[in-house]
Amino acid sequence: MNNIKSFCCRYRKIKKSQKIIFNNFFNLYNINYQHKILNFENIFYNKLPIIIDIGFGIGNNIIDCVIKNMQYNFIGIEVYLPGIINCLKKIIVNKIKNLKLIYHDAYFVIKNMIPNCSIKLIQLYFPDPWPKLKHKKRRLLKKDFLKIIFLKLINKGLLYIITDSKDYKNNILSDIKDISNNNFFFIKSNQYNNSYSNFDSYLFNTKFFNKVKMQKKNIYHIEYQKIILNENF
Ligand SMILES: C[S@@+](CC[C@H](N)C(=O)[O-])C[C@H]1O[C@@H](n2cnc3c(N)ncnc32)[C@H](O)[C@@H]1O
């Protein structure tokens, strides 16, 4: 059981107009948190592969991804209400049908709602790095959550992370190495360097990407592929 939260509930006053959007439209795109495995066909009414974005922030990037990738269904998980509302606005304006939102802690959503071997890609753009030593325990991507994530990926499914924290990156890489077992293992499916010129083919319209780029900080891409070894798994 994970009792340490990877986020602080930042208080932001919600404007009346935001409340109206939330009250009128959230139900249409929301998947309620429940301790029960989801049936994606009942949600999307098709069998398209599923991509999950954890901590999509204000939602710019997930909206771009969704619009440019209609061949997938997307689930965005976020705990930041103004971000959820901003994303909701864009869903409505763009008449998006292949994206659902879950307003809850991603740890429990992934653990309790997502079927094993069901997800094509799980992506996290700039997960909160919690750089101070005393806060590191708050990081979301620790061994137990990484194990859960890999259970949920289909064979050849991908985990994609982008971060500007070298220490977080190194911890994730060493944890991933440790969790391979007799049933499945993970291969680094891609190598990137830190140069921004590589990014043209990717969609990185996230608030944090733009901030980090302005600060000319290094960023690190982590992309792993799950390979199932045991057919019965
Ligand atoms: C540093 S921000 C990055 C936002 C966005 N991906 C970007 O690149 O601009 C991290 C986001 O993760 C969200 N977050 C942190 N822990 C979470 C959790 N356990 N479940 C869902 N969202 C979480 C935060 O609310 C925040 O919006």
Side-chain angles (χ1 to χ4, degrees):
M1 177 81 177
N2 184 16
N3 290 320
I4 306 167
K5 296 225 176 307
S6 63
F7 53 92
C8 346
C9 281
R10 291 168 280 166
Y11 177 77
R12 292 275 190 287
K13 200 168 177 342
I14 304 293
K15 289 188 205 140
K16 200 173 164 193
S17 60
Q18 288 179 309
K19 263 190 202 158
I20 292 173
I21 290 172
F22 186 80
N23 291 338
N24 287 335
F25 294 101
F26 190 52
N27 265 350
L28 299 175
Y29 302 97
N30 167 39
I31 303 173
N32 267 328
Y33 175 76
Q34 50 181 336
H35 195 134
K36 191 174 164 211
I37 295 292
L38 293 172
N39 179 327
F40 296 132
E41 263 188 82
N42 289 348
I43 294 167
F44 292 103
Y45 304 108
N46 62 48
K47 290 184 176 177
L48 295 178
I50 309 281
I51 293 180
I52 294 184
D53 188 315
I54 297 178
F56 58 77
I58 56 168
N60 294 351
N61 187 64
I62 194 172
I63 293 290
D64 283 354
C65 276
V66 167
I67 291 174
K68 297 197 174 133
N69 293 284
M70 299 300 282
Q71 72 279 27
Y72 297 105
N73 290 321
F74 286 77
I75 296 179
I77 310 172
E78 181 52 79
V79 288
Y80 179 53
L81 186 55
I84 293 259
I85 296 173
N86 196 53
C87 190
L88 196 53
K89 273 196 231 167
K90 288 173 194 262
I91 293 177
I92 298 159
V93 169
N94 293 288
K95 299 190 171 64
I96 286 171
K97 297 209 167 30
N98 57 332
L99 168 62
K100 296 283 178 190
L101 306 178
I102 306 185
Y103 176 32
H104 200 83
D105 188 332
Y107 179 92
F108 296 102
V109 173
I110 301 287
K111 182 167 186 259
N112 298 329
M113 296 178 75
I114 304 301
N116 288 352
C117 298
S118 69
I119 305 298
K120 168 92 183 160
L121 163 70
I122 296 185
Q123 61 187 30
L124 296 97
Y125 289 5
F126 299 97
D128 289 316
W130 295 110
K132 287 186 187 154
L133 193 61
K134 64 176 178 182
H135 289 146
K136 275 190 195 177
K137 54 181 179 293
R138 280 177 164 271
R139 287 177 174 172
L140 181 61
L141 292 165
K142 291 182 293 195
K143 222 181 260 182
D144 68 330
F145 190 49
L146 287 165
K147 270 188 199 162
I148 295 170
I149 284 181
F150 279 112
L151 267 182
K152 306 301 176 178
L153 292 173
I154 55 172
N155 191 24
K156 300 195 177 147
L158 294 174
L159 169 64
Y160 180 71
I161 302 155
I162 159 169
T163 178
D164 59 329
S165 162
K166 191 174 183 182
D167 179 66
Y168 201 3
K169 178 222 34 163
N170 287 340
N171 283 339
I172 292 169
L173 295 188
S174 102
D175 284 348
I176 287 180
K177 220 174 177 181
D178 286 351
I179 60 179
S180 292
N181 62 33
N182 293 335
N183 292 321
F184 54 82
F185 71 103
F186 317 109
I187 52 167
K188 253 191 191 159
S189 66
N190 228 323
Q191 290 285 351
Y192 302 88
N193 63 29
N194 294 333
S195 119
Y196 294 101
S197 59
N198 279 355
F199 300 162
D200 293 348
S201 56
Y202 275 79
L203 294 157
F204 291 128
N205 180 21
T206 87
K207 186 175 160 189
F208 277 79
F209 177 74
N210 292 327
K211 197 167 137 190
V212 165
K213 195 174 164 185
M214 290 255 292
Q215 294 167 342
K216 294 194 169 23
K217 281 190 186 169
N218 279 344
I219 66 164
Y220 306 94
H221 298 257
I222 302 167
E223 185 172 316
Y224 272 85
Q225 186 168 45
K226 169 177 166 178
I227 303 293
I228 294 182
L229 295 172
N230 179 351
E231 287 292 314
N232 299 322
F233 173 72

